[in-house]
């Protein structure tokens, strides 16, 4: 893809679907290239945007609650022109009709939900981890379940299980959808914490209802006695294949980032890009619209091996006590290959607040267009931010939004939001952890993404998700709503559901 052309993971699918639509329209002399979003009319349909499960054009909110009910469930709140349509909410679990597996204690169904239109029928599908499936002692084979979207009010009536080829859990740490072999079909990538060694696995697409999918197979085993923190996928080198980046932290030495490049044969680890920064959270997207996906690392810190003279002093060290977000711009050589990384923290000029130990600035990240200017904005969570209305306020949490420019996020226009902001429901209380998970998603279909911010510690760990509207000037508290287990009628709403901890992204 040429420089200057925005690239998204859905692009190969969209191009193929548009080509099919054009051929169909030419043959039938139709006046429209796009089929209407109704069930059964998928022959010339452009793939749906992620999280639009019913094909109405509005992205829906999906929150996994792996500790709720018997074996976990997913809470879905449809999007609408007025925001989250709470009256149309529903829940999906392994006890639901058409869902694979049996609803059993400890399954953790709903872990790390992600979405894309895997079978290109015009309805987004939802993929969730079930890492505790079939647990026996310390081991659980686990599985990933694809819930197929449809045009019905409760769209998930069919599902497909993707099992692991090992005896270790599947999808426990992360699930991602990416085209790592460049065939135009999305593949399922999972990250898992093992007993002594963690792993990355891939199940290659295509996937379709009723078809037998490939199993998740290991492609990377993280070094022995190492903790895997997070992963992200994107085309960081602009070659048309989605790549994977993960961070891990050995017990003996500092953490590292590893890039696995996408190739026709799948993911292959490369040493050509390595150890730019540590990171506990990742986000990926083309922040400067140059055709290369960029990598954003939250919880960034110096990871150079003290015994490796080649890497010492090559890149700036991030040691801000409140947390550092490092932006690494994509290039033919991968993230930070030709442009120096940019560090952002609460001591950066223009960024609100003060950098304090334990703020966890960068503890969650999301990329989307909150102000409708077609430039990606960056939301940064600081779930450990101390604010306070209860006499304490430790770890109440806050979210900072950095608005996009042609060069990337602009710190000078940064704005911060929390439960004490004007028109935002609730109050800043100890342990709320507002901003522990984030998403920028256009639920209203107005071209401006809502900021979805989770506070899993709200009301003694019952949790909640706040929806703050987008506007021409960016995120606003005006019109914001709080979605809590009590308001959504979820079972045992006062228990420690930690609602929002697994917010789809």
């Amino acid at each position: 893809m040429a420089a200057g052309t925005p690239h998204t993971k859905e692009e190969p699918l969209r191009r193929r679907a548009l080509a099919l639509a054009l051929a169909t329209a030419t043959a039938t002399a139709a006046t429209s290239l796009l089929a209407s979003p109704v069930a059964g009319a998928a022959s010339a349909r452009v793939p749906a945007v992620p999280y639009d499960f019913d094909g109405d054009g509005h992205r829906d909110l999906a929150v996994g609650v792996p500790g709720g009910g018997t074996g976990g469930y997913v809470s879905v709140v449809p999007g609408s022109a007025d925001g989250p349509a709470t009256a149309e909410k529903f829940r999906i679990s392994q006890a639901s009709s058409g869902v694979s597996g049996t609803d059993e204690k400890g399954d953790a169904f709903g872990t790390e939900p992600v979405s894309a239109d895997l079978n290109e029928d015009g309805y987004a599908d939802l993929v969730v981890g079930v890492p505790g499936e079939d647990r026996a002692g310390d081991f659980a084979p686990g599985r990933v379940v694809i819930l197929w979207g449809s045009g019905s009010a409760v769209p998930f009536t069919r599902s497909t299980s993707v099992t692991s080829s090992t005896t270790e859990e599947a999808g426990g740490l992360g699930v991602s959808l990416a085209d790592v072999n460049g065939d135009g079909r999305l593949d399922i990538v999972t990250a898992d914490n093992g007993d002594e060694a963690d792993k990355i696995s891939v199940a290659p697409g295509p996937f379709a209802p009723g078809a037998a999918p490939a199993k998740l197979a290991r492609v990377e085993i993280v070094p022995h006695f190492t903790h895997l923190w997070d992963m992200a996928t994107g085309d960081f080198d602009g070659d048309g294949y989605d790549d994977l980046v993960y961070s891990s932290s050995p017990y003996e030495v500092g953490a590292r980032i590893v890039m696995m490049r996408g190739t026709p044969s799948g993911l292959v680890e490369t040493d050509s890009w390595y150890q730019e920064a540590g990171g506990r959270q990742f986000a990926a997207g083309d922040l400067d619209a140059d055709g290369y996906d960029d990598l954003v690392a939250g919880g960034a810190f110096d990871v150079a091996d003290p015994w490796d003279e080649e890497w010492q002093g090559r890149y700036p060290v991030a040691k801000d006590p409140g947390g550092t977000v490092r932006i690494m711009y994509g290039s033919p050589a991968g993230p930070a290959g030709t442009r120096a990384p940019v560090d952002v923290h609460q001591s950066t000029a223009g960024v609100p607040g003060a950098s304090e130990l334990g703020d966890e600035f960068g503890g969650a990240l999301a990329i989307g267009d909150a102000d409708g200017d077609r430039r990606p904005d960056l939301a940064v969570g600081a779930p450990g931010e101390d604010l306070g209305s209860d006499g304490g306020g430790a770890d109440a949490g806050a979210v900072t939004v950095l608005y996009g420019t042609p060069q990337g996020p602009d710190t000078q226009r940064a704005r911060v939001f929390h439960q004490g902001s004007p028109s935002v429901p609730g109050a800043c209380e100890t342990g709320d952890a507002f901003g522990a998970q984030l998403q920028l998603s256009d639920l209203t279909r107005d071209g401006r993404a809502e900021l979805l911010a989770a506070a899993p510690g709200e009301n003694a760990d019952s949790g909640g998700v706040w929806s703050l509207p987008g506007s021409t000037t960016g995120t606003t508290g005006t019109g914001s709503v709080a979605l809590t287990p009590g308001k959504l009628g979820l079972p045992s709403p006062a228990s420690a559901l930690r609602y929002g901890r697994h917010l789809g992204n």
Side-chain angles (χ1 to χ4, degrees):
M1 180 169 294
T5 303
H7 172 83
T8 66
K9 289 185 282 187
E10 293 89 358
E11 195 62 27
L13 304 179
R14 187 175 293 112
R15 287 198 299 267
R16 187 171 62 257
L18 285 171
L20 175 60
L22 180 60
T24 303
T26 301
T28 60
T31 59
S32 175
L33 298 184
L34 302 181
S36 59
V38 296
S43 61
R45 188 178 293 130
V46 172
V49 296
Y51 297 99
D52 181 11
F53 305 126
D54 54 9
D56 67 352
H58 297 279
R59 296 183 183 227
D60 307 316
L61 171 65
V63 179
V65 190
T70 301
Y73 58 82
V74 178
S75 167
V76 180
V77 181
S80 75
D82 299 318
T86 56
E88 301 172 22
K89 65 186 181 302
F90 60 92
R91 286 182 288 121
I92 295 292
S93 73
Q94 288 184 290
S96 303
S97 176
V99 177
S100 306
T102 303
D103 188 26
E104 300 165 316
K105 186 177 180 179
D107 284 348
F109 179 89
T111 299
E112 302 296 331
V114 293
S115 177
D117 186 357
L118 291 176
N119 60 336
E120 303 174 49
D121 65 350
Y123 307 109
D125 310 306
L126 185 66
V127 182
V128 301
V130 195
E133 184 80 6
D134 299 328
R135 181 173 293 278
D138 293 333
F139 299 97
R143 70 175 68 184
V144 169
V145 173
I146 304 170
L147 302 170
W148 299 102
S150 69
S152 60
V154 180
F156 304 125
T157 58
R158 301 174 297 170
S159 68
T160 298
S161 282
V162 182
T163 57
S164 175
S165 59
T166 71
T167 58
E168 299 169 4
E169 67 180 28
L173 180 64
V175 182
S176 185
L177 303 174
D179 182 11
V180 300
N181 58 8
D183 65 355
R185 304 286 186 172
L186 290 175
D187 312 305
I188 296 176
V189 184
T190 65
D192 299 287
N193 291 134
D195 184 26
E196 293 182 350
D198 303 340
K199 64 184 175 70
I200 304 289
S201 300
V202 175
F207 304 95
K215 287 189 175 184
L216 286 160
R218 285 179 180 171
V219 296
E220 178 85 338
I221 299 177
V222 180
H224 197 60
F225 294 122
T226 295
H227 180 73
L228 182 62
W229 285 107
D230 199 13
M231 68 171 180
T233 54
D235 188 3
F236 302 113
D237 55 10
D239 63 355
Y241 300 91
D242 281 331
D243 313 303
L244 178 139
V245 168
Y246 72 83
S247 64
S248 62
S249 178
Y251 297 130
E252 294 86 358
V253 189
R256 65 173 188 160
I257 288 180
V258 174
M259 177 171 168
M260 300 184 71
R261 291 185 186 271
T263 71
S265 59
L267 292 173
V268 176
E269 183 175 338
T270 174
D271 290 328
S272 62
W273 181 80
Y274 177 67
Q275 294 195 152
E276 304 297 348
R280 295 181 181 233
Q281 299 291 332
F282 285 134
D286 190 357
L287 293 171
D288 54 359
D290 66 350
Y292 301 93
D293 281 334
D294 309 310
L295 179 69
V296 185
F301 47 91
D302 181 31
V303 299
D305 185 334
W307 302 105
D308 188 347
E309 296 182 0
E310 179 184 354
W311 287 96
Q312 288 181 18
R314 183 171 176 182
Y315 291 100
V317 175
K319 292 183 177 178
D320 196 270
T324 296
V325 170
R326 182 164 288 181
I327 303 171
M328 293 164 276
Y329 290 96
S331 72
T338 58
R339 182 176 174 184
V342 175
D343 284 356
V344 179
H345 40 72
Q346 290 181 91
S347 299
T348 302
V351 176
S355 186
E356 302 159 321
L357 185 65
D359 283 347
E360 297 183 63
F361 185 80
L365 302 164
I367 295 173
D369 184 4
D371 54 8
D373 65 355
R374 298 189 178 184
R375 296 191 181 105
D377 307 314
L378 175 64
V380 180
E385 182 77 19
D386 295 344
L387 297 166
S389 61
D390 63 348
D395 301 336
V399 179
T400 300
V401 181
L402 309 176
Y403 296 102
T405 73
Q407 291 75 42
D410 179 11
T411 60
Q412 297 298 323
R413 290 195 300 135
R415 294 187 61 194
V416 67
F417 298 89
H418 46 72
Q419 290 186 74
S421 298
S423 300
V424 176
C428 297
E429 299 165 320
T430 297
D432 282 349
F434 183 85
Q437 293 291 323
L438 300 174
Q439 186 182 142
L440 282 166
S441 186
D442 186 4
L443 306 182
T444 58
R445 203 182 178 185
D446 64 355
R448 298 182 289 268
E450 279 70 41
L451 171 64
L452 302 172
E458 177 78 7
N459 295 334
D461 289 341
S462 175
V465 173
W466 274 248
S467 176
L468 280 65
S471 73
T472 54
T473 57
T475 299
T476 176
T478 303
S480 58
V481 296
L483 306 172
T484 61
K487 291 180 180 179
L488 296 174
L490 299 179
S492 304
S495 62
L497 295 177
R498 296 190 62 79
Y499 188 82
R501 178 63 186 86
H502 293 267
L503 175 63
N505 206 343

